[in-house]
Amino acid sequence: MRVVICGGGVIGACTAYFLRRRGIDVIVVERTEVAAAASGKAGGFLAQDWCAGTPLDALARRSFGLHAQLPEEIAGDWGYRSMTAYSGFVASDGTARRNTPSALDWLSDGVVITQRIGTAKTTAIVHPRKFTSAVMNAALAQGATLRPGRVTGIVRDGDRATGVEIEGSAVEADAVVIAMGPWSLLAAQWMSLPAVYGQRSPSIVYDTGTDVPADALFLEYEDNGSAVSIEVFPRADGSTHITALSDIAPLPLDPAAVTPDVDAIARLQSMSERLSPLFRPERIIAQQACFRPVTEDGLPLIGKVPYSEGLYIATGHNVWGILNAPATGEALAELIAEGSTHEVDLSPFDPARLTPLDPSLLQAR
């Protein structure tokens, strides 16, 4: 059996890895590079139980467990470590708490910590690009193939997918997986799929060395009279990822063309410098942005594509893409190989639950 996976991000990498563990022939098609988009620029934060009470709970718990296991199975160091998570707010200038020392001594005065929301048993982090690359390399070491190119269509025999077109040339397959993040939207030209939207998230990465402990922060910050959520993720490699100010922007056709909004980065830098004296301009490693794939109802699309045989999709994970990638890849491998899943029920993520997008809306692209 041969499976072609369209997309070399974290979902595609994990799917390739779990398929190869079953001995299935895998070709991954990637137009830019492995982890080129959100899989390389996300925060990498992991939470075991933050999806409790939602359809994502079982997927997240299974995936959190797999993240803890994978360092024992795959060569490489992607900075997996447990961490503590806190919520709080930044006191505004002129308020009573503006000069109050923070409960965390690496933060500036007036950064008020109100609650511990994650412990070393329930929250962790990975470096997303290093994680994605390591999982892909593990799949390649087991015999998967990585092919550069842009997928331009699906080859069919009636309702069954028999391969993919890569810029005019056909590659045969028994099954095809669409895992192109927000660019999975383009596949609606070739199959019945709901819309996938891209939400842009700017971020700044600082070189903080050993100065910042394993404390993830989720803070409310008043910016220009409105409340903004800012997230801080210190990583094991000595970098700290800070993100806020997500917006909706046109999705470039090429992931390599994604750039952050200049004003948003300037605002984010100013906010970061307010949080701690450690976030100084000379410590900036990267100013970047990525598009997170989201769906109409906020749940991912994972499973068989409606009205087609041999077609599968996995996208729309929003902020939980890095977290939920291992369990998504494992479940898809089970579904493709056996026709059903064992660890996670994928029915809440069935693409057929949402109205398909009218392909004519994409013709301009």
Side-chain angles (χ1 to χ4, degrees):
M1 183 181 193
R2 173 189 282 178
V3 179
V4 172
I5 299 171
C6 306
V10 69
I11 303 296
C14 287
T15 304
Y17 173 73
F18 283 102
L19 283 169
R20 279 307 302 151
R21 278 182 37 168
R22 291 173 168 269
I24 293 173
D25 188 16
V26 175
I27 298 173
V28 180
V29 183
E30 168 56 43
R31 66 178 292 173
T32 308
E33 63 178 2
V34 172
S39 298
K41 298 175 181 177
F45 180 73
L46 314 174
Q48 179 186 53
D49 55 4
W50 287 21
C51 297
T54 78
L56 286 169
D57 188 41
L59 185 72
R61 290 177 185 273
R62 174 62 181 171
S63 220
F64 189 83
L66 286 172
H67 271 289
Q69 294 175 25
L70 286 174
E72 302 175 2
E73 301 175 7
I74 295 177
D77 179 10
W78 52 88
Y80 174 85
R81 70 168 174 177
S82 300
M83 66 192 322
T84 306
Y86 297 95
S87 63
F89 64 92
V90 180
S92 302
D93 292 343
T95 60
R97 305 186 77 168
R98 171 62 182 85
N99 297 313
T100 302
S102 179
L104 301 178
D105 60 10
W106 62 276
L107 296 174
S108 299
D109 293 351
V111 180
V112 181
I113 301 301
T114 56
Q115 188 177 2
R116 187 181 69 181
I117 54 177
T119 71
K121 291 184 178 181
T122 62
T123 47
I125 199 164
V126 298
H127 189 293
R129 180 179 295 278
K130 293 176 182 179
F131 173 70
T132 302
S133 297
V135 176
M136 184 68 81
N137 288 338
L140 297 177
Q142 293 178 13
T145 300
L146 180 62
R147 173 165 175 168
R150 181 171 61 90
V151 177
T152 53
I154 302 296
V155 181
R156 293 176 178 272
D157 181 3
D159 291 334
R160 172 168 287 279
T162 58
V164 298
E165 293 177 2
I166 303 175
E167 297 171 305
S169 111
V171 176
E172 294 183 356
D174 300 292
V176 176
V177 177
I178 301 297
M180 302 188 296
W183 289 274
S184 299
L185 173 73
L186 300 176
Q189 299 172 98
W190 320 315
M191 62 193 76
S192 177
L193 284 179
V196 181
Y197 307 96
Q199 186 163 21
R200 185 171 61 174
S201 292
S203 58
I204 299 178
V205 183
Y206 289 87
D207 178 5
T208 49
T210 58
D211 293 335
V212 178
D215 297 333
L217 304 179
F218 295 80
L219 305 172
E220 292 299 311
Y221 190 112
E222 186 176 320
D223 180 59
N224 294 329
S226 61
V228 173
S229 296
I230 185 167
E231 301 172 0
V232 180
F233 302 122
R235 295 168 173 161
D237 68 347
S239 65
T240 298
H241 178 281
I242 304 180
T243 185
L245 306 170
S246 294
D247 66 353
I248 301 296
L251 181 69
L253 279 178
D254 185 351
V258 174
T259 56
D261 178 79
V262 174
D263 290 340
I265 286 293
R267 289 171 62 197
L268 181 56
Q269 182 177 338
S270 176
M271 293 163 66
S272 301
E273 291 172 7
R274 169 68 183 87
L275 298 182
S276 172
L278 299 174
F279 303 136
R280 299 191 299 270
E282 66 270 21
R283 284 188 158 193
I284 292 175
I285 300 172
Q287 297 174 323
Q288 59 191 16
C290 63
F291 279 85
R292 292 182 280 106
V294 297
T295 63
E296 184 180 336
D297 64 0
L299 296 176
L301 307 174
I302 312 172
K304 295 181 178 180
V305 173
Y307 314 115
S308 297
E309 291 296 321
L311 275 181
Y312 301 82
I313 187 165
T315 189
H317 291 72
N318 200 347
V319 297
W320 296 121
I322 302 298
L323 166 64
N324 286 330
T328 297
E330 179 187 56
L332 266 186
E334 292 172 349
L335 185 62
I336 292 169
E338 303 178 31
S340 61
T341 61
H342 307 298
E343 298 292 342
V344 177
D345 177 13
L346 293 181
S347 60
F349 318 122
D350 186 347
R353 75 184 188 273
L354 298 174
T355 303
L357 182 69
D358 181 353
S360 67
L361 299 175
L362 297 172
Q363 289 179 357
R365 287 182 167 269

